[in-house]
Amino acid sequence: MASFSSTISSPRHALSPNTFVHEAKHKRISGSHCRTFPLHSQRSPICRMGFISRFERKETTKHQIFASVTDTTVDKSPEKVKLPKGDIWSVHKFGGTCVGTSERIKNVANVILSDDSEGKLVIVSAMSKVTDMMYDLINKAQSRDESYISALDAVLEKHRSTAVDILEGDDLGSFLSQLHHDISNLKAMLRAIYIAGHATESFTDFVVGHGELWSAQLLSSVVRKNGVDCQWMDTREVLIVNPTSSNQVDPDYTESEKRLEKWYSKNQSKTIVATGFIASTPENIPTTLKRDGSDFSAAIMGALFRAGQVTIWTDVDGVYSADPRKVSEAVILKTLSYQEAWEMSYFGANVLHPRTIIPVMRYDIPIIIRNIFNLSAPGTKICHPSADCYEDDQRLESFVKGFATIDNLALVNVEGTGMAGVPGTASAIFDAVKDVGANVIMISQASSEHSVCFAVPEKEVKAVAEALQSRFRQALAAGRLSQVAVIPNCSILAAVGQKMASTPGVSATLFNALAKANINVRAIAQGCSEYNVTVVLKREDCIRGLRAVHSRFYLSRTTIAMGIIGPGLIGSTLLDQLRDQAATLKEEFNIDLRVMGITGSRTMLLSDSGIDLSRWRELQKEEGVMADLEKFIHHVHGNHFIPNTVVVDCTADSLIASHYNNWLRKGIHVVTPNKKANSGPLDQYLKLRALQRQSYTHYFYEATVGAGLPIISTLRGLLETGDRILRIEGIFSGTLSYIFNNFIGSRNFSEVVAEAKQAGYTEPDPRDDLSGTDVQRKVIILARESGLKLELSDIPVESLVPEPLQASASAEDFMQKLPQFDHELAAKRQIAEDAGEVLRYVGVVDVVKQEGEVKLRTYKKDHPFAQLSGSDNIIAFTTTRYKDKQPLIVRGPGAGAEVTAGGVFSDILRLASYLGAPS
């Protein structure tokens, strides 16, 4: 039988497994032929490792490998040095990325040297990717893939080259000697695995643990190189754990403390570099601490030393209020309570594994999360919520500290009237789930006991559903249970905060934020501790929901993705107004309006982060692509970094307006001065308004009637406060207001129209204004807002376009022929003047008679309608509160790009207020 020795630590610290190759048929060889030998002045066991060197080829598939470690040698002499415990010790844990290169190992050494604590315990992981490389060695050997040899050579070279970079002299020679010795032994072990085709878990743990051994030796050597006495610790000599499952162990604190005292009596030092991740069982078999084992090591050792604090060094500045990859406005939390960190880590936040927190909680040892690559960042402190620890001045009134999500889940709903009041039903359900090894992440049950709903990982839901169908086959057949339903494609969103407990309104605020983002909640759970509220959402809604609730609780900028349709006169003016006001809105009102797309009829400009509005015209020419409304909407609404989307339609296009209903259903808000939707077919209007009322998706159209004047909002205010509208009468066209305000004296009508056209008050074809159709649309909008169910055709219109000219070939032809008909309006003006009156073109809604009209009327010169100047609009509301003699008057500019764009802008800001911005 061939044999060899394997040393798994430095020449001064020898500890190795006793490995045997066994034939199958469940035979185990008792006894290990192990002996212990003293090494210099320090004692550690060396095991002789025996392997059967010859195998019959036909038996190789039956071989297994087992590993064990001998008991540490007991020193019978009295212990002279006792480990000093308490605040004198600071614990630092450095992950694989922190020691991933020779330069980073030097940086870590500098951090250790700069700590002025009396005692420093450093827990170190394997170099970056080394643990994966070690597992890969095992997998290759078990698969009889001979490339494990070259893979092992890569492990050797990674550590050799690192050592050459940072060590020199005897330290370098000693490390390289030990490294080659370990690699030689590993090669023999992997060869045995290759032959047997299998390795036990303990053997795998032993092999994988070498990464930590090497990094600890390298780091301790660098610290010593700087003139500081430093010992390195193989924590398998000290840390004893009891495996409780394949992925969990429980520390044996009593035995670990005994072994720590023995270790320290022989290795007194104020600076200790210890291996993370690895430990031993009570039988001295190598094992690991499983998931996030290095953090767990640091917490356990911190508890054993009763340290003042444990610092976990990583590559982020601390714990964020939400995943910064999903919420760009996420902030670093200065403090977290143990319970908050526990809850957030359970729900997927990259904080700490929940078990890491348990050891330090016992002794009130704070954990600091810091960034090794940004030493200026103070990090996040995890501790008990005392007055000096639990303060977060970023927003003192925020009762929710953070948000976390878990994706790729499915809901299972077991439902039936036969469940109510029947003991053992829930037990039977979860026994079936346990039998298939599935993990239940969340449970929700109403007090009616009619159904039990729970979330499991999507990859496990099929097995769970089949197990439940089998377990309850008889109950389903008999009708006591109605169904076992699976709802796939779900995600969990959890809000966490210790101050949530007993604070009214937290859940209401959470659900309100989700509702305003048009997100449906599928299931809800809240523990009696009230530290977290958990909701289940559609997977595609999860990121949007996360951003919506984070924004609501943290008063981060209310960010709205905007798509501008129609960069014509009004649209371009709006874009310029947005450009000029953007900085003020962000700084003073926490509103971030990002224009993600601009489209005209031919060209569209798209951006993933927001168009630079200072040069949008240039960008549209340089980067514009062919317009495609469907692609445009998908781009603007599909940006998952922004929870809210608004489409601003600055056209007068009925085709664009026909999409409003569909956009609102998708959760896209709509703001527009386009009158076509609200003045179109009545049934479509009613559907649009019903949809608006039923959802939290908003549809604002103030600028459809009076440009920037508050006409729609005034009307709604009257109705909502219980007033009754009797009559609405007004001059609704700025163009026609200008024309009749200037149609005085001996001036001809055609002359004034030409002047208005020259000044830009009219449409390119003045017939569009003089026909009265625009006023007719405004009248029908107000009539419908007042509750009248009228079609546009129900509103008679007196056109100012002479009938013979209605079919003119062009606007120029019309303007040339219009003077031929000046006498008609001149005669009407004369009649009005003779009666002491003036002509005004008005729209009227008579709510009492349930009718409306658009016509040319006369008014006494002291009437408010006769007092207008320029292109002002004026609207009079006669109600039960505001009588005929003193109606409610709204007056102001009712035409022009500036005021119309301003009205649209005002609607956008009102939307932002509804979505959570300060009002």
Side-chain angles (χ1 to χ4, degrees), residues 422-443:
V422 179
T425 303
S427 174
I429 291 171
F430 294 111
D431 277 347
V433 176
K434 176 187 174 184
D435 289 345
V436 297
N439 180 33
V440 176
I441 297 174
M442 190 205 82
I443 303 170

mmCIF file of all heavy atoms in Angstrom, residues 422-443:
data_model
loop_
_atom_site.group_PDB
_atom_site.id
_atom_site.type_symbol
_atom_site.label_atom_id
_atom_site.label_comp_id
_atom_site.label_asym_id
_atom_site.label_seq_id
_atom_site.Cartn_x
_atom_site.Cartn_y
_atom_site.Cartn_z
ATOM 1 N N VAL A 422 -61.387 22.837 9.877
ATOM 2 C CA VAL A 422 -60.926 21.444 9.916
ATOM 3 C C VAL A 422 -59.479 21.417 10.397
ATOM 4 O O VAL A 422 -58.578 21.866 9.674
ATOM 5 C CB VAL A 422 -61.025 20.790 8.517
ATOM 6 C CG1 VAL A 422 -60.518 19.359 8.567
ATOM 7 C CG2 VAL A 422 -62.458 20.834 8.015
ATOM 8 N N PRO A 423 -59.233 20.927 11.610
ATOM 9 C CA PRO A 423 -57.855 20.901 12.117
ATOM 10 C C PRO A 423 -56.962 20.011 11.241
ATOM 11 O O PRO A 423 -57.394 18.988 10.725
ATOM 12 C CB PRO A 423 -58.006 20.310 13.524
ATOM 13 C CG PRO A 423 -59.440 20.484 13.879
ATOM 14 C CD PRO A 423 -60.191 20.403 12.588
ATOM 15 N N GLY A 424 -55.721 20.434 11.085
ATOM 16 C CA GLY A 424 -54.741 19.602 10.393
ATOM 17 C C GLY A 424 -54.614 19.843 8.910
ATOM 18 O O GLY A 424 -53.729 19.269 8.272
ATOM 19 N N THR A 425 -55.489 20.688 8.347
ATOM 20 C CA THR A 425 -55.414 20.917 6.904
ATOM 21 C C THR A 425 -54.099 21.593 6.522
ATOM 22 O O THR A 425 -53.399 21.164 5.603
ATOM 23 C CB THR A 425 -56.592 21.775 6.418
ATOM 24 O OG1 THR A 425 -57.825 21.132 6.773
ATOM 25 C CG2 THR A 425 -56.536 21.961 4.909
ATOM 26 N N ALA A 426 -53.768 22.664 7.252
ATOM 27 C CA ALA A 426 -52.513 23.371 6.956
ATOM 28 C C ALA A 426 -51.316 22.453 7.166
ATOM 29 O O ALA A 426 -50.358 22.459 6.388
ATOM 30 C CB ALA A 426 -52.395 24.617 7.826
ATOM 31 N N SER A 427 -51.395 21.643 8.222
ATOM 32 C CA SER A 427 -50.304 20.705 8.491
ATOM 33 C C SER A 427 -50.124 19.735 7.328
ATOM 34 O O SER A 427 -49.001 19.461 6.893
ATOM 35 C CB SER A 427 -50.586 19.928 9.778
ATOM 36 O OG SER A 427 -49.629 18.919 9.982
ATOM 37 N N ALA A 428 -51.234 19.228 6.799
ATOM 38 C CA ALA A 428 -51.159 18.286 5.677
ATOM 39 C C ALA A 428 -50.592 18.964 4.431
ATOM 40 O O ALA A 428 -49.809 18.369 3.684
ATOM 41 C CB ALA A 428 -52.549 17.723 5.388
ATOM 42 N N ILE A 429 -50.979 20.227 4.226
ATOM 43 C CA ILE A 429 -50.473 20.966 3.064
ATOM 44 C C ILE A 429 -48.961 21.093 3.131
ATOM 45 O O ILE A 429 -48.234 20.768 2.188
ATOM 46 C CB ILE A 429 -51.127 22.365 2.977
ATOM 47 C CG1 ILE A 429 -52.615 22.238 2.605
ATOM 48 C CG2 ILE A 429 -50.391 23.246 1.969
ATOM 49 C CD1 ILE A 429 -53.387 23.543 2.719
ATOM 50 N N PHE A 430 -48.463 21.542 4.286
ATOM 51 C CA PHE A 430 -47.036 21.821 4.375
ATOM 52 C C PHE A 430 -46.204 20.555 4.603
ATOM 53 O O PHE A 430 -45.016 20.546 4.308
ATOM 54 C CB PHE A 430 -46.785 22.894 5.429
ATOM 55 C CG PHE A 430 -47.376 24.221 5.024
ATOM 56 C CD1 PHE A 430 -48.463 24.754 5.710
ATOM 57 C CD2 PHE A 430 -46.884 24.895 3.922
ATOM 58 C CE1 PHE A 430 -49.027 25.950 5.313
ATOM 59 C CE2 PHE A 430 -47.448 26.099 3.517
ATOM 60 C CZ PHE A 430 -48.519 26.634 4.207
ATOM 61 N N ASP A 431 -46.843 19.509 5.075
ATOM 62 C CA ASP A 431 -46.147 18.213 5.095
ATOM 63 C C ASP A 431 -45.860 17.753 3.663
ATOM 64 O O ASP A 431 -44.784 17.221 3.366
ATOM 65 C CB ASP A 431 -47.000 17.162 5.813
ATOM 66 C CG ASP A 431 -46.829 17.235 7.324
ATOM 67 O OD1 ASP A 431 -45.887 17.912 7.774
ATOM 68 O OD2 ASP A 431 -47.638 16.618 8.047
ATOM 69 N N ALA A 432 -46.835 17.950 2.795
ATOM 70 C CA ALA A 432 -46.646 17.568 1.395
ATOM 71 C C ALA A 432 -45.545 18.396 0.752
ATOM 72 O O ALA A 432 -44.738 17.891 -0.040
ATOM 73 C CB ALA A 432 -47.961 17.745 0.617
ATOM 74 N N VAL A 433 -45.501 19.698 1.105
ATOM 75 C CA VAL A 433 -44.448 20.571 0.574
ATOM 76 C C VAL A 433 -43.083 20.126 1.095
ATOM 77 O O VAL A 433 -42.099 20.062 0.356
ATOM 78 C CB VAL A 433 -44.720 22.039 0.957
ATOM 79 C CG1 VAL A 433 -43.576 22.936 0.493
ATOM 80 C CG2 VAL A 433 -46.035 22.518 0.355
ATOM 81 N N LYS A 434 -43.046 19.770 2.367
ATOM 82 C CA LYS A 434 -41.783 19.317 2.973
ATOM 83 C C LYS A 434 -41.295 18.028 2.321
ATOM 84 O O LYS A 434 -40.093 17.849 2.088
ATOM 85 C CB LYS A 434 -41.987 19.099 4.467
ATOM 86 C CG LYS A 434 -40.760 18.545 5.184
ATOM 87 C CD LYS A 434 -41.079 18.187 6.629
ATOM 88 C CE LYS A 434 -39.899 17.495 7.286
ATOM 89 N NZ LYS A 434 -40.210 17.044 8.648
ATOM 90 N N ASP A 435 -42.219 17.151 1.988
ATOM 91 C CA ASP A 435 -41.850 15.845 1.413
ATOM 92 C C ASP A 435 -41.109 15.991 0.084
ATOM 93 O O ASP A 435 -40.308 15.132 -0.277
ATOM 94 C CB ASP A 435 -43.101 14.977 1.223
ATOM 95 C CG ASP A 435 -43.660 14.492 2.554
ATOM 96 O OD1 ASP A 435 -42.945 14.583 3.567
ATOM 97 O OD2 ASP A 435 -44.828 14.051 2.568
ATOM 98 N N VAL A 436 -41.388 17.076 -0.657
ATOM 99 C CA VAL A 436 -40.685 17.268 -1.928
ATOM 100 C C VAL A 436 -39.487 18.201 -1.777
ATOM 101 O O VAL A 436 -38.838 18.548 -2.760
ATOM 102 C CB VAL A 436 -41.634 17.810 -3.027
ATOM 103 C CG1 VAL A 436 -42.736 16.814 -3.316
ATOM 104 C CG2 VAL A 436 -42.223 19.160 -2.635
ATOM 105 N N GLY A 437 -39.220 18.606 -0.523
ATOM 106 C CA GLY A 437 -38.030 19.418 -0.261
ATOM 107 C C GLY A 437 -38.123 20.848 -0.745
ATOM 108 O O GLY A 437 -37.098 21.489 -0.989
ATOM 109 N N ALA A 438 -39.328 21.366 -0.871
ATOM 110 C CA ALA A 438 -39.491 22.742 -1.356
ATOM 111 C C ALA A 438 -39.401 23.728 -0.199
ATOM 112 O O ALA A 438 -39.734 23.402 0.945
ATOM 113 C CB ALA A 438 -40.823 22.894 -2.084
ATOM 114 N N ASN A 439 -38.988 24.936 -0.512
ATOM 115 C CA ASN A 439 -38.847 25.992 0.483
ATOM 116 C C ASN A 439 -40.017 26.959 0.380
ATOM 117 O O ASN A 439 -40.237 27.556 -0.670
ATOM 118 C CB ASN A 439 -37.523 26.732 0.270
ATOM 119 C CG ASN A 439 -37.324 27.846 1.277
ATOM 120 O OD1 ASN A 439 -37.743 27.742 2.410
ATOM 121 N ND2 ASN A 439 -36.668 28.921 0.849
ATOM 122 N N VAL A 440 -40.772 27.102 1.460
ATOM 123 C CA VAL A 440 -41.902 28.037 1.481
ATOM 124 C C VAL A 440 -41.378 29.402 1.919
ATOM 125 O O VAL A 440 -40.824 29.547 3.000
ATOM 126 C CB VAL A 440 -43.016 27.559 2.431
ATOM 127 C CG1 VAL A 440 -44.122 28.602 2.515
ATOM 128 C CG2 VAL A 440 -43.576 26.236 1.957
ATOM 129 N N ILE A 441 -41.550 30.394 1.077
ATOM 130 C CA ILE A 441 -40.983 31.710 1.333
ATOM 131 C C ILE A 441 -41.976 32.639 2.012
ATOM 132 O O ILE A 441 -41.599 33.491 2.805
ATOM 133 C CB ILE A 441 -40.477 32.318 0.012
ATOM 134 C CG1 ILE A 441 -39.343 31.438 -0.536
ATOM 135 C CG2 ILE A 441 -39.997 33.749 0.189
ATOM 136 C CD1 ILE A 441 -38.859 31.833 -1.896
ATOM 137 N N MET A 442 -43.257 32.469 1.723
ATOM 138 C CA MET A 442 -44.272 33.331 2.305
ATOM 139 C C MET A 442 -45.582 32.584 2.379
ATOM 140 O O MET A 442 -45.892 31.770 1.508
ATOM 141 C CB MET A 442 -44.451 34.590 1.451
ATOM 142 C CG MET A 442 -45.320 35.656 2.103
ATOM 143 S SD MET A 442 -46.092 36.753 0.894
ATOM 144 C CE MET A 442 -47.497 35.765 0.411
ATOM 145 N N ILE A 443 -46.362 32.823 3.451
ATOM 146 C CA ILE A 443 -47.667 32.173 3.631
ATOM 147 C C ILE A 443 -48.709 33.244 3.915
ATOM 148 O O ILE A 443 -48.456 34.195 4.655
ATOM 149 C CB ILE A 443 -47.638 31.183 4.817
ATOM 150 C CG1 ILE A 443 -46.538 30.135 4.618
ATOM 151 C CG2 ILE A 443 -48.987 30.509 4.993
ATOM 152 C CD1 ILE A 443 -46.296 29.282 5.849
#
